[in-house]
Amino acid sequence: MAVPSPLGSRQTVAALLTLTVVTGLVDAVSYLSLGRVFVANMTGNVVFLGFAADPGSGLSAIASMIAIAGFVLGALAGGRVAHALADRSGRWLATAFAGEAALLGLVAVLAGAGVLPFAGDGRFATIALLAVALVSAYT
């Protein structure tokens, strides 16, 4: 069931453009810094998963699977929140934006402090958290 936008036409377009820019920037950084994996573009991860079947590709099947799993977990959580706020669509939009911003901010702070690494096996936690955060762009 589609949730009608509580915003006017211009505000809806501005919100969608903002989400597009944010997910594009985060995907660019994740692709370059986290070992050629997307955290917002799951279609790309499915393609990378197929390419990773070739051992010489240099792509990580595990990273793509973790991103997809994080996306699924984020979608499940977002679906539960959307269901709980179904009768208040204005609250749902604000909650989705706030949740995405909070998780992105948390990941930025933790990565900047060196708690979440960008390399090695520790990068998988960064990938999963970013995938969970960016699912709100799709819900």
Side-chain angles (χ1 to χ4, degrees), residues 88-114:
R88 296 169 285 185
S89 60
R91 298 276 302 166
W92 163 239
L93 186 61
T95 302
F97 271 116
E100 180 174 354
L103 277 171
L104 286 175
L106 176 67
V107 170
V109 167
L110 292 175

Side-chain angles (χ1 to χ4, degrees), residues 40-101:
N41 181 354
M42 293 304 120
T43 306
N45 284 324
V46 172
V47 172
F48 287 166
L49 200 53
F51 288 155
D54 175 17
S57 70
L59 296 170
S60 170
I62 294 171
S64 292
M65 288 188 290
I66 287 173
I68 292 169
F71 186 86
V72 168
L73 289 174
L76 289 171
R80 296 193 85 149
V81 173
H83 180 71
L85 299 174
D87 58 338
R88 296 169 285 185
S89 60
R91 298 276 302 166
W92 163 239
L93 186 61
T95 302
F97 271 116
E100 180 174 354

